[in-house]
């Protein structure tokens, strides 16, 4: 997959502006909480266990399944596309990664899937703010191009949107 000049320029901008050591540490810790959709799967599981209303329990379980499916679909696309992670001379990535594959961003995919899926049982604004923060964190840390996170947001939203409504019990 070709890297567009604007994509590389946007990455360079995000990788070189607003970087203080303390902020880099905070962003890195936050971003790591999204590895393998861990924070979203934990949220969905906790919601399903703690919800008193059967419909809400069902919505939390459904959302957790959507997040897991989004992660699986993301992996399939990532393996098919095989786009390498960014490399900028003199600016190494600020966080470790699970693989060398970059497109689409799994953090972005699972976060936007979660925001869409859990918005019926949790505040949508907070969910989307967290999803956006995960998405922006990835190019900030130098491990994704901006188009990786945009594609992930679209993919995650599409997976959540396409998931059958079904019925809660």
């Amino acid at each position: 997959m070709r890297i567009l000049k604007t994509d590389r320029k946007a990455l360079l901008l995000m990788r070189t502006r607003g970087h203080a050591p303390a902020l880099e540490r905070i962003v890195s810790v936050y971003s790591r909480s999204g590895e393998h959709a861990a924070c979203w799967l934990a949220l969905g599981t906790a919601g399903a266990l703690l919800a008193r209303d059967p419909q809400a329990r069902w919505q939390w379980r459904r959302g957790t399944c959507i997040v897991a499916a989004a992660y699986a679909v993301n992996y399939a696309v990532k393996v098919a596309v095989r786009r390498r992670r960014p490399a900028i001379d003199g600016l190494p990535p600020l966080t470790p990664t699970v693989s060398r594959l970059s497109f689409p961003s799994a953090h972005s995919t699972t976060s936007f899937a979660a925001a869409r899926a859990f918005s019926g049982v949790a505040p949508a604004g907070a969910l989307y703010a967290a999803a956006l923060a995960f998405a922006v964190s990835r190019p900030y840390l130098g491990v994704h191009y901006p188009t990786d996170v945009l594609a992930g947001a679209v993919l995650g939203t599409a997976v959540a949107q396409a998931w059958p409504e079904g019925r809660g019990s």
Side-chain angles (χ1 to χ4, degrees):
M1 177 175 219
R2 260 184 65 197
I3 309 303
L4 302 173
K5 283 184 182 180
T6 54
D7 205 16
R8 187 154 178 81
K9 284 182 182 180
L11 170 66
L12 191 57
L13 182 69
M14 293 178 80
R15 187 58 188 84
T16 58
R17 301 292 190 265
H19 282 263
L23 182 58
E24 287 177 352
R25 282 191 299 278
I26 291 167
V27 172
S28 182
V29 168
Y30 179 75
S31 187
R32 273 185 264 146
S33 74
E35 286 295 337
H36 305 291
C39 62
W40 299 115
L41 296 171
L43 176 66
T45 301
L49 291 172
L50 298 173
R52 294 174 192 252
D53 176 53
Q55 180 64 24
R57 274 196 307 276
W58 176 83
Q59 285 181 283
W60 283 112
R61 285 192 311 266
R62 177 181 179 271
T64 303
C65 290
I66 290 170
V67 170
Y71 185 73
V73 170
N74 175 275
Y75 181 74
V77 173
K78 201 174 279 244
V79 169
V81 172
R82 304 201 66 78
R83 182 184 205 181
R84 306 280 293 174
R85 291 198 184 269
I88 303 172
D89 290 337
L91 288 171
L94 299 175
T95 193
T97 57
V98 175
S99 81
R100 293 183 175 180
L101 301 177
S102 182
F103 183 91
S105 162
H107 281 70
S108 188
T109 300
T110 57
S111 295
F112 279 86
R116 178 94 169 115
F118 295 141
S119 65
V121 287
L127 292 167
Y128 279 101
L132 183 60
F134 274 118
V136 170
S137 77
R138 305 308 283 166
Y140 177 88
L141 295 169
V143 294
H144 279 290
Y145 292 99
T147 53
D148 296 340
V149 298
L150 289 173
V154 170
L155 180 60
T157 301
V159 169
Q161 181 67 31
W163 199 268
E165 283 294 321
R167 291 190 177 257
S169 55

